Amino acid sequence: MPTEPLSRGRIVAAAIELIEREGADAVSMRRIAAELGVGVMSLYNHVPNKDALLNGVAEAVLSEIEFTDDPDAHWTDRVRMQARAFRQIAHDHPRSTMLVVSRQLHSTAGLLPVERALATLRSAGFDGADAVRMLRMFIAYIVGSLLREVGVTPTFAPVHNRLVKAESVDPALFPEVSSLAPLLDQCDHEAEFEFGLELLIQAISVHTGRREGTR
Amino acid sequence: MPTEPLSRGRIVAAAIELIEREGADAVSMRRIAAELGVGVMSLYNHVPNKDALLNGVAEAVLSEIEFTDDPDAHWTDRVRMQARAFRQIAHDHPRSTMLVVSRQLHSTAGLLPVERALATLRSAGFDGADAVRMLRMFIAYIVGSLLREVGVTPTFAPVHNRLVKAESVDPALFPEVSSLAPLLDQCDHEAEFEFGLELLIQAISVHTGRREGTR
DNA sequence: AGGCTTGCACGTACGCCGTACGTGCGTCAA
DNA sequence: TTGACGCACGTACGGCGTACGTGCAAGCCT
């Protein structure tokens, strides 16, 4: 059986598959090689080092997201769509999300979402400085939301049990946390995401509205 | 010279000092032991394992932040103050920030900021569900902002070569990124943080205003 | 055809890592 | 005095990233 030749693409794919199956901590060069049925050092013929490999993973995940941008739609809808497209990462590759978010890429895959967002904001009437500001604000919110969703951040609600168990919190010290424990323990990630997204979009709509109307 | 006896506190302090001096990647049990002039295994008399030690680091950093809360101030000011207090982490312990943010603690240090924030939001007139929603939104924004501020990569480069170098971006592929490169390359973190913070506060002020006035 | 370069898979080895386990010493209670 | 205990420490094991060398097959030049 002439196994398909090793390649950067196959290595990256194996890494992604491994991360999603066993978590980011399980990733090692030896593990990936074993997964592919090759020797460890063979990987280095296609990837300079582990760091570059992880960049490749981030890039691959990022380039999978589908931006269906309708240039004729209202700019607020375009922003909504782009934000949701980005959030898809948390669904499609939850355990790789941290990697994607914590590596800034200056490659095409990394720049494309930025380019689209800036274009949309400029089309909404923001000047360059404002567009950059808005973009940074959205990125901060989205990144923070994704990290909560995939469980990196103080999330108050992994799907099950126990971040804040009502009985484990002293009501005298933390009355609010204690009484709101049922609410803190559950989280509809999509609803939470949409809530903040709407809030931000409405807030910045007012800014353009002051100057030139909603469109 | 009777060196001060080893203790969990001294170990955690050494870890923090090491992280800030050489970055989170430099942290290893051997390195910390060397820093303290003790054998590696001595650490395990005071800390069960590395993970718990890192939790201790996060906890220590978190408990250093100063919440100067004035219960008589307008709730919007109290929210502002709490958000800024949290951002201080990025100033005081930039290279530990990722650690603090990526470990959820159910200890006092971790719950205190949550308790305060919830109390403030409730005092603003939000019901429990809304308070939790607002809190999650603020946390997402703040976490995202801090991660941008500290550079999200292990190596904390000063202020240079941040996102994009103008000459390395193809203007045909990325017209907006290219033309806005000067703006993307620099970032006044405090101003950016305040901008989004104001936007969020104003946005949620409207929500309470609809029901019961600004106060 | 014969020789040479090149590309790639692979094994070995080094210096790190976290930590399980055992040992020895100082102190303090009985 | 003796026993237990707390704590510093050494050794050792399995796993990590990767530098380096080796060998083999395919393609290129005369």
Side-chain angles (χ1 to χ4, degrees):
Chain A
M1 186 179 93
T3 63
E4 198 173 355
L6 214 47
S7 72
R8 182 185 158 98
R10 291 221 307 143
I11 295 173
V12 168
I16 293 179
E17 209 258 334
L18 182 58
I19 292 176
E20 294 306 326
R21 180 154 40 81
E22 304 194 19
D25 288 348
V27 172
S28 76
M29 298 304 273
R30 293 169 209 266
R31 197 77 175 65
I32 293 172
E35 212 78 15
L36 290 165
V38 302
V40 197
M41 294 315 291
S42 308
L43 303 179
Y44 286 89
N45 288 321
H46 304 273
V47 161
N49 53 48
K50 188 185 182 183
D51 202 63
L53 168 56
L54 294 183
N55 277 339
V57 168
E59 208 167 315
V61 169
L62 207 50
S63 64
E64 267 182 31
I65 68 181
E66 294 176 12
F67 285 111
T68 56
D69 193 11
D70 175 9
D72 295 330
H74 193 276
W75 70 266
T76 55
D77 282 328
R78 296 175 67 192
V79 169
R80 255 183 283 269
M81 287 304 155
Q82 288 173 33
R84 287 173 188 150
F86 206 87
R87 193 177 86 93
Q88 270 299 112
I89 294 173
H91 277 133
D92 298 343
H93 303 285
R95 309 180 93 162
S96 305
T97 303
M98 185 63 201
L99 214 54
V100 175
V101 146
S102 67
R103 279 164 189 269
Q104 70 271 51
L105 313 166
H106 64 288
S107 63
T108 300
L111 250 37
L112 188 60
V114 173
E115 173 69 22
R116 287 192 199 265
L118 287 174
T120 302
L121 290 167
R122 305 272 332 232
S123 82
F126 294 109
D127 65 25
D130 278 346
V132 169
R133 237 192 303 275
M134 303 296 182
L135 172 63
R136 289 204 172 115
M137 186 194 61
F138 276 109
I139 290 178
Y141 172 70
I142 293 170
V143 165
S145 295
L146 292 206
L147 292 191
R148 159 159 43 80
E149 184 157 352
V150 300
V152 172
T153 269
T155 136
F156 311 117
V159 193
H160 291 297
N161 73 352
R162 134 117 178 34
L163 226 276
V164 181
K165 257 180 315 191
E167 63 271 22
S168 72
V169 177
D170 184 348
L173 280 174
F174 305 109
E176 299 293 347
V177 172
S178 176
S179 78
L180 296 175
L183 290 166
L184 290 168
D185 274 344
Q186 61 179 354
C187 181
D188 178 340
H189 294 293
E190 177 169 343
E192 298 281 349
F193 182 77
E194 292 289 329
F195 171 77
L197 183 60
E198 265 347 280
L199 215 60
L200 288 176
I201 289 176
Q202 287 177 24
I204 71 173
S205 293
V206 174
H207 280 220
T208 58
R210 285 209 193 104
R211 288 202 288 269
E212 49 171 334
T214 42
R215 180 163 188 139
Chain B
M1 186 180 87
T3 62
E4 198 173 358
L6 214 45
S7 72
R8 182 186 157 99
R10 291 222 308 143
I11 294 173
V12 168
I16 293 179
E17 210 258 333
L18 182 57
I19 292 176
E20 294 305 326
R21 182 154 39 83
E22 304 193 19
D25 288 349
V27 173
S28 77
M29 298 305 272
R30 293 170 208 269
R31 196 78 175 64
I32 293 172
E35 212 77 16
L36 289 166
V38 302
V40 197
M41 294 316 290
S42 308
L43 303 179
Y44 286 89
N45 288 320
H46 305 272
V47 161
N49 53 47
K50 187 184 183 184
D51 203 62
L53 169 55
L54 294 183
N55 277 339
V57 168
E59 209 168 314
V61 169
L62 208 49
S63 63
E64 267 183 31
I65 68 181
E66 295 175 12
F67 286 111
T68 57
D69 194 11
D70 174 9
D72 295 329
H74 192 275
W75 71 267
T76 55
D77 282 329
R78 297 174 65 190
V79 168
R80 255 183 284 269
M81 287 305 153
Q82 288 174 32
R84 287 174 189 149
F86 206 87
R87 193 175 87 92
Q88 271 298 113
I89 295 173
H91 277 133
D92 298 343
H93 302 286
R95 307 177 94 162
S96 305
T97 303
M98 186 63 202
L99 213 54
V100 176
V101 145
S102 66
R103 279 166 189 269
Q104 62 273 55
L105 314 166
H106 66 290
S107 64
T108 300
L111 250 38
L112 188 60
V114 174
E115 174 68 22
R116 287 192 199 266
L118 287 174
T120 303
L121 290 167
R122 305 266 338 228
S123 81
F126 294 109
D127 65 24
D130 279 345
V132 169
R133 237 193 303 276
M134 303 296 180
L135 172 62
R136 290 201 171 117
M137 186 193 62
F138 276 109
I139 290 178
Y141 173 70
I142 293 170
V143 165
S145 295
L146 292 205
L147 292 191
R148 157 158 47 74
E149 183 158 350
V150 300
V152 275
T153 21
T155 55
F156 184 56
V159 196
H160 284 297
N161 81 331
R162 169 127 164 93
L163 251 199
V164 195
K165 267 160 302 205
E167 61 272 19
S168 70
V169 177
D170 184 348
L173 281 173
F174 304 109
E176 298 293 348
V177 172
S178 175
S179 78
L180 296 176
L183 290 167
L184 289 168
D185 275 343
Q186 61 179 356
C187 182
D188 178 340
H189 294 292
E190 177 169 344
E192 298 280 350
F193 182 76
E194 291 290 329
F195 171 78
L197 183 60
E198 266 345 281
L199 215 60
L200 288 175
I201 290 176
Q202 286 178 24
I204 71 173
S205 293
V206 174
H207 281 218
T208 58
R210 284 207 193 105
R211 289 201 288 267
E212 50 170 334
T214 41
R215 183 175 185 132

